[in-house]
């Protein structure tokens, strides 16, 4: 079934003035007609794209730019933001480097770039003016959803109309939060730690548009906004409420301290805004049987055997070898990996080979450790870990005088585990990777997949902590102390987190807020494949139905030149029906292109009101 655009046409102009037609759809289309000339904003429907002389683009993401393809191919002049030149005109540079940049990624920028460059005839910046058939169209730089977005403002039939791209969706919403992840240079915070960093740009951009007093806003996605002032104010209030909540439970308070957190907060909330930070929880000296080195910990038994948690650096291996040489320990008998991040995993395989010991993980993240090239996640290692011993959540193991319990612990990232170690009558120690710090949640990178469901994400982690039902030390391997949360602190964290879920539900237009924080609810697997010409690639699309209802998803694959579906008779579209909260995949094997190079595959995802074109991407590298 082909996804059809809505055919509603809206006339917003007096007969003597240029006529504005509006077509609602996955990306809206706008057509201005005057004296036989035609200008499109965002783009226009394919079967009526002839004779469009100009098309205005507000940003460079391919999931919006596709709307202009028919007009571009018909010869329209393309006007686009100067600051989006890289996305629109140089995407091949990004894809050429993807095999390298998919690992150790700390910038956290969207991969929704064009598969191939487009020709931009005029690049515009803030305060530029476009003259078209008697209309003066003002260019307003409105970064937020992307770094270089612009809006276009003009008068049509006596009404001021603002075309704002993805600046605002409907009545005070935005499509997602993960697109706003970015660096905060003034607080010396890189993109990985920049939760909602461009919300500050969003607020400033919304205020710029509000100051122009538009009568109507026509966004790239979502309904026309008939009361811009009200909707803008509502969106500003919503994003500020989310960010204020985030700061109140944020682990960066421990790492970066109060002054830098206030810098972050004032960018979004305003100068001298009230900012609440969770006081530090109780900390203490690490027990002597735990050896600390970088982001690893080594448990040392009375017998002289050792058990390693994570290994991100050669100096960890060297330190352990020194302990062996000094007869402090005799050997390492196992390695548990808490999560996939490079500073915890880069040297795990090397350590396993050096010490000839098994590696353990829980099933939820074993594959990303074994096949990192199949994923694109923040701060990934490029070094696969082989022969992982997969242990289910709750698995118990006795190791010398220790009792171990292994947990799936989706805190800082969905792909995360934890190890509870009990030693005789001592207070147990829970090795939680990077999930918590003494000032709260390590959820500063939305693209890590911090899911919001009760049984997946930080709510599950809080429940696991409560279920220990005895005093327990926590170990975050970035922190040279042990720490603990009181019942009151756990109550505070849970109350704040549940409040944030409610705030996010108001911020996004979807029927579950997880779609707005989980970029990987729909993803190609593998994300990158190295293949010979015409090889069959076992590609699949993996989907999570976060919704509270059954959904049928329609997946339409868009192949590069020279590639082909293996099952051509089935066409380019597949369907997958998922129950609420179910995750599954659909196999879409393809034949690799015959030409050498790096080839980008994209796919559309559609389910009722959720329609996203050119949403997914995967890359095939043919030597």
């Amino acid at each position: 079934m082909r996804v059809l655009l809505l055919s509603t046409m809206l006339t917003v102009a007096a007969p003597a003035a240029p006529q504005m037609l509006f077509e609602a759809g996955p990306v809206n289309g706008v057509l201005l007609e005057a004296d036989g000339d035609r200008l499109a904003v965002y783009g226009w429907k394919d079967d009526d794209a002839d004779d469009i002389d100009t098309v205005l683009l507000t940003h460079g993401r391919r999931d919006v730019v596709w709307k202009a393809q028919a007009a571009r191919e018909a010869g329209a002049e393309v006007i686009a933001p100067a600051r989006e030149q890289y996305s629109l005109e140089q995407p091949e540079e990004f894809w050429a480097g993807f095999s390298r940049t998919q690992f150790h990624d700390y910038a956290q920028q969207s991969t929704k770039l064009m598969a191939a460059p487009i020709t931009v005839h005029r690049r515009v910046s803030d305060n530029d003016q476009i003259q078209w058939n008697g209309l003066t169209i003002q260019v307003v730089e409105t970064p937020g959803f992307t770094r270089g977005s612009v809006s276009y403002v003009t008068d049509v039939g006596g009404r001021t109309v603002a075309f704002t791209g993805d600046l605002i969706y409907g009545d005070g919403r935005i499509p997602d939060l993960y697109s706003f992840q970015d660096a905060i240079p003034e607080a010396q915070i890189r993109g990985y730690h920049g939760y909602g960093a461009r919300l500050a740009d969003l607020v400033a951009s919304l205020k710029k548009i509000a100051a122009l007093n538009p009568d109507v806003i026509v966004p790239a996605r979502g309904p026309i906004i008939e009361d811009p002032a009200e909707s803008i104010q509502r969106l500003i209030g919503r994003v500020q409420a989310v960010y204020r909540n985030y700061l109140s439970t944020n682990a960066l308070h421990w790492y970066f301290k109060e002054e830098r957190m206030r810098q972050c907060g004032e960018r979004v909330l305003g100068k001298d805004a009230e900012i609440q930070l969770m006081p530090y929880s109780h900390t203490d000296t690490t027990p002597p049987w735990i050896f600390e080195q970088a982001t690893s910990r080594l448990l040392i038994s009375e017998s002289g055997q050792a058990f390693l948690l994570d290994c991100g650096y050669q100096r960890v291996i060297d330190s352990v070898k020194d302990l062996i040489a000094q007869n402090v320990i005799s050997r390492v008998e196992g390695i548990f990996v808490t999560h996939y991040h490079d500073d915890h995993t880069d040297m795990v395989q090397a350590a396993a080979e050096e010490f000839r010991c098994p590696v353990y993980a829980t099933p939820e993240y074993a594959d990303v450790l074994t096949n990192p090239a199949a994923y694109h996640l923040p701060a990934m290692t490029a070094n696969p870990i082989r022969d992982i011993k997969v242990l289910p959540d709750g698995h118990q193991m006795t190791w010398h005088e220790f009792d171990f319990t292994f947990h799936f612990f989706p805190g800082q990232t969905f792909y995360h585990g934890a190890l509870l170690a009990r030693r005789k009558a001592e207070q147990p120690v829970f090795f939680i990777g990077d999930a918590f710090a003494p000032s709260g949640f390590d959820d500063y990178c939305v693209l890590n997949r911090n899911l919001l469901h009760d049984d997946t994400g930080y709510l599950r982690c809080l429940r696991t902590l409560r279920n220990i039902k005895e005093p327990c030390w926590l170990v975050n391997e970035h922190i040279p102390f042990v720490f603990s949360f009181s019942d009151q602190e756990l109550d505070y964290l849970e109350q704040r987190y549940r409040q944030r879920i409610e705030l996010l539900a108001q911020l996004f237009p979807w029927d579950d807020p997880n779609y707005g924080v989980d970029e990987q609810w729909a993803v190609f697997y593998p994300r990158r494949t190295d293949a010979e010409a015409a090889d069959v690639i076992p590609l699949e699309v993996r989907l999570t139905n976060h919704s509270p209802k059954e959904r049928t998803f329609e997946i339409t694959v868009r192949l590069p030149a020279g590639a082909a579906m293996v099952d051509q008779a089935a066409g380019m579209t597949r369907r997958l029906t998922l129950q609420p909260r179910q995750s599954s995949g659909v196999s879409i094997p393809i034949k690799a292109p015959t030409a050498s190079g790096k080839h980008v595959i994209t796919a559309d995802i559609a389910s009722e009101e959720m329609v996203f074109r050119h949403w997914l991407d995967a890359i095939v590298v043919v030597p």
Side-chain angles (χ1 to χ4, degrees), residues 63-86:
D63 51 315
V64 169
V65 173
W66 67 266
K67 182 71 176 180
Q69 181 175 347
R72 290 191 295 108
E73 291 177 350
E77 178 187 40
V78 175
I79 298 177
R83 291 177 61 198
E84 297 283 281
Q85 181 179 358
Y86 180 79

Side-chain angles (χ1 to χ4, degrees), residues 377-454:
L377 292 162
M380 291 180 59
T381 183
N383 302 327
I385 303 171
R386 299 188 296 273
D387 303 321
I388 293 174
K389 293 187 178 297
V390 178
L391 303 176
D393 176 61
H395 180 84
Q396 296 183 337
M397 181 174 80
T398 297
W399 179 74
H400 300 285
E401 73 270 25
F402 291 86
D403 291 322
F404 289 164
T405 305
F406 298 85
H407 289 276
F408 171 47
F409 202 71
Q412 184 183 48
T413 168
F414 173 82
Y415 307 98
H416 202 295
L419 174 63
L420 180 64
R422 287 185 165 88
R423 183 178 186 269
K424 298 182 176 179
E426 294 187 41
Q427 184 166 313
V429 178
F430 201 13
F431 297 89
I432 57 168
D434 290 351
F436 292 91
S439 62
F441 302 118
D442 285 73
D443 62 346
Y444 30 73
C445 184
V446 183
L447 289 94
N448 272 326
R449 300 193 77 193
N450 302 128
L451 302 186
L452 307 173
H453 299 297
D454 275 12

Side-chain angles (χ1 to χ4, degrees), residues 9 107 171 208 229 236 241 270 326-327 369 412 488 512 544 592 621:
M9 307 295 285
D171 189 17
K208 285 175 72 173
I236 291 173
Q326 296 165 21
N327 294 318
L369 300 178
Q412 184 183 48
Q488 292 75 20
D512 188 279
T544 297
V621 182

Side-chain angles (χ1 to χ4, degrees), residues 503-525:
L503 294 170
L504 290 170
Q506 297 169 20
L507 184 60
F508 309 132
W510 320 119
D511 64 357
D512 188 279
N514 281 278
Y515 291 113
V517 298
D518 181 17
E519 185 189 37
Q520 305 217 9
W521 68 269
V523 67
F524 271 126
Y525 179 93

Side-chain angles (χ1 to χ4, degrees), residues 569-591:
M572 307 299 288
T573 298
R574 302 290 186 272
R575 292 178 182 82
L576 181 64
T577 298
L578 297 175
Q579 297 303 309
R581 302 291 318 287
Q582 182 184 6
S583 297
S584 189
V586 56
S587 177
I588 310 176
I590 69 165
K591 289 184 179 179

Side-chain angles (χ1 to χ4, degrees), residues 28-160:
N28 296 324
V30 178
L31 188 67
L32 296 174
E33 295 184 308
D35 297 330
D37 292 330
R38 310 170 87 208
L39 176 147
V41 185
Y42 312 128
W44 192 241
K45 53 187 178 179
D46 292 357
D47 60 0
D48 188 28
D50 292 341
D51 301 322
I52 292 176
D53 56 83
T54 305
V55 62
L56 306 183
L57 302 179
T58 54
H59 61 72
R61 281 183 37 157
R62 66 168 186 270
D63 51 315
V64 169
V65 173
W66 67 266
K67 182 71 176 180
Q69 181 175 347
R72 290 191 295 108
E73 291 177 350
E77 178 187 40
V78 175
I79 298 177
R83 291 177 61 198
E84 297 283 281
Q85 181 179 358
Y86 180 79
S87 300
L88 291 165
E89 300 178 72
Q90 300 167 286
E92 70 273 20
E93 294 184 16
F94 172 82
W95 296 115
F98 183 76
S99 300
R100 171 180 50 83
T101 58
Q102 77 175 113
F103 305 112
H104 312 294
D105 182 2
Y106 287 90
Q108 307 316 300
Q109 297 304 295
S110 174
T111 65
K112 291 181 173 59
L113 280 72
M114 303 294 293
I118 69 171
T119 299
V120 174
H121 302 87
R122 179 181 173 187
R123 304 184 192 101
V124 293
S125 302
D126 204 30
N127 296 319
D128 283 351
Q129 292 185 346
I130 301 165
Q131 302 297 330
W132 182 84
N133 276 61
L135 285 184
T136 297
I137 303 172
Q138 181 180 350
V139 180
V140 184
E141 288 188 351
T142 49
F145 190 69
T146 74
R147 289 172 170 173
S149 297
V150 301
S151 297
Y152 300 101
V153 181
T154 192
D155 182 272
V156 182
R159 301 183 76 190
T160 300

Side-chain angles (χ1 to χ4, degrees), residues 434-586:
D434 290 351
F436 292 91
S439 62
F441 302 118
D442 285 73
D443 62 346
Y444 30 73
C445 184
V446 183
L447 289 94
N448 272 326
R449 300 193 77 193
N450 302 128
L451 302 186
L452 307 173
H453 299 297
D454 275 12
D455 58 348
T456 305
Y458 269 111
L459 291 177
R460 179 186 180 117
C461 295
L462 290 169
R463 187 181 69 206
T464 300
L465 293 180
R466 292 183 189 276
N467 286 343
I468 294 174
K469 298 187 184 305
E470 61 181 300
C472 174
W473 291 121
L474 304 179
V475 171
N476 175 321
E477 293 158 352
H478 289 270
I479 297 171
F481 308 99
V482 294
F483 63 99
S484 62
F485 292 128
S486 66
D487 288 343
Q488 292 75 20
E489 287 167 330
L490 290 175
D491 288 345
Y492 171 85
L493 288 168
E494 181 170 350
Q495 180 269 328
R496 288 296 173 120
Y497 205 74
R498 290 192 180 279
Q499 180 187 60
R500 194 187 315 175
I501 294 171
E502 294 176 1
L503 294 170
L504 290 170
Q506 297 169 20
L507 184 60
F508 309 132
W510 320 119
D511 64 357
D512 188 279
N514 281 278
Y515 291 113
V517 298
D518 181 17
E519 185 189 37
Q520 305 217 9
W521 68 269
V523 67
F524 271 126
Y525 179 93
R527 198 69 180 269
R528 190 195 89 220
T529 303
D530 297 297
E532 296 296 325
D535 274 359
V536 173
I537 300 170
L539 195 65
E540 62 181 279
V541 170
R542 295 183 171 181
L543 293 168
T544 297
N545 177 17
H546 288 301
S547 300
K549 65 178 183 179
E550 177 186 280
R551 279 189 179 272
T552 296
F553 295 91
E554 198 173 79
I555 305 118
T556 302
V557 180
R558 299 179 182 273
L559 296 178
M565 303 288 278
V566 170
D567 184 5
Q568 296 188 38
M572 307 299 288
T573 298
R574 302 290 186 272
R575 292 178 182 82
L576 181 64
T577 298
L578 297 175
Q579 297 303 309
R581 302 291 318 287
Q582 182 184 6
S583 297
S584 189
V586 56

